[in-house]
Amino acid sequence: MINLNHITQHLAVVRTRITQAEQRFGRTPGSVRLLAVSKSHPAAAIRAAYGANQICFGESYAQEALTKMSAVTDLPLEWHFIGPIQSNKTRDIAAHFAWVQSVERAKIAQRLNEQRPATLPPLNVCIQVNVSGEASKSGAVPTEVAALAHTIGALPQLRLRGLMAIPAPQRDFEMQRAGFRVLHGLYAALLQNGYKLDTLSMGMTDDLEAAIAEGATLVRVGTAIFGERAM
Ligand SMILES: *Cc1c(COP(=O)(O)O)cnc(C)c1O
């Protein structure tokens, strides 16, 4: 279990990594946002990170997320759902999150659209793409992305913001970059087709520099902030 005092230091290290990668790869300073992935860590860890100015948090399991959210309702946090979406969880996700980054099929997009409460602004959505072929189970295959973007674009309670991927882990920096480059190519094609997107969500604890090199606008970091997960 993580020492809460370390979270502030860990966040500072991650922010420095992001700033240095922006400089090294010619990215605009401040163009890469940090999503703190708090799955499997307690509400107290989220509160500690908020104390160090972290606003955006990512969770992968709906029930776990709702329990933690109810313990930090006093904080103005922005919640992103980043895990696999089961049909029976779409109602909770649509009601409690500002973003869903893991939309990979039209049926789930339609349910989220129907179940997003009318009192809330449209749900921000990223299409999750499988850029690693058989090495990954999650995400739309690249050839499905255009049709899925078209479907989401017609749903009034959803707002398509961009693409997300979790490439298969690679040790080699150039191999890491190659996976992210595939996602960037799909993103560029959607922009070319007139979609107004601003979010390329890619890069985690072990590969965020390679993702920033390839144009990430949002990196999702858990372990480097909160420590190893128990599960
Ligand atoms: C868990 C998770 C992360 C964070 O991974 P770390 O390696 O701990 O930084 C990022 N994105 C998704 C979708 C995750 O499920």
Side-chain angles (χ1 to χ4, degrees):
M1 164 87 172
I2 177 107
N3 179 338
L4 295 180
N5 295 320
H6 291 164
I7 291 177
T8 300
Q9 289 163 252
H10 291 170
L11 264 172
V13 171
V14 171
R15 288 173 179 147
T16 300
R17 283 176 64 185
I18 292 170
T19 304
Q20 288 179 343
E22 284 172 348
Q23 282 169 357
R24 178 167 158 214
F25 299 106
R27 301 286 311 278
T28 304
S31 59
V32 181
R33 292 207 296 152
L34 172 60
L35 181 72
V37 178
S38 46
K39 66 175 184 235
S40 91
H41 297 288
I46 294 170
R47 196 172 284 281
Y50 174 76
N53 297 317
Q54 182 63 35
I55 301 289
C56 304
F57 291 86
E59 290 281 343
S60 299
Y61 307 99
Q63 193 47 57
E64 178 195 337
L66 264 53
T67 303
K68 277 187 256 179
M69 283 175 183
S70 66
V72 291
T73 51
D74 55 316
L75 307 182
L77 306 181
E78 181 180 283
W79 292 100
H80 293 232
F81 192 81
I82 60 172
I85 307 175
Q86 297 161 276
S87 294
N88 63 354
K89 292 293 175 358
T90 52
R91 187 174 298 279
D92 280 339
I93 293 169
H96 293 280
F97 285 82
W99 286 68
V100 178
Q101 296 195 15
S102 44
V103 174
E104 55 178 30
R105 340 183 238 136
K107 180 173 164 254
I108 293 293
Q110 282 150 355
R111 287 179 70 94
L112 291 170
N113 178 65
E114 281 161 25
Q115 295 170 344
R116 178 66 167 176
T119 51
L120 295 178
L123 186 60
N124 298 294
V125 162
C126 292
I127 296 173
Q128 183 176 351
V129 187
N130 176 359
V131 295
S132 303
E134 289 179 10
S136 168
K137 314 154 245 89
S138 295
V141 300
T143 51
E144 295 168 345
V145 170
L148 188 49
H150 185 77
T151 299
I152 293 170
L155 298 173
Q157 282 292 82
L158 302 187
R159 183 167 165 219
L160 183 62
R161 299 291 294 265
L163 301 179
M164 184 272 259
I166 315 168
Q170 304 279 354
R171 278 173 198 276
D172 178 75
F173 187 72
E174 291 305 322
M175 301 268 281
Q176 292 174 357
R177 283 189 70 155
F180 296 132
R181 198 174 303 132
V182 173
L183 194 70
H184 190 175
L186 294 164
Y187 183 74
L190 291 176
L191 289 175
Q192 189 80 45
N193 284 328
Y195 289 95
K196 303 273 183 281
L197 308 178
D198 61 7
T199 303
L200 191 50
S201 172
M202 56 189 197
M204 319 199 303
T205 290
D206 290 331
D207 56 13
L208 69 89
E209 283 85 2
I212 291 170
E214 293 296 336
T217 68
L218 184 118
V219 293
R220 309 176 311 268
V221 179
T223 308
I225 298 171
F226 298 110
E228 295 290 339
R229 287 178 288 274
M231 45 211 303

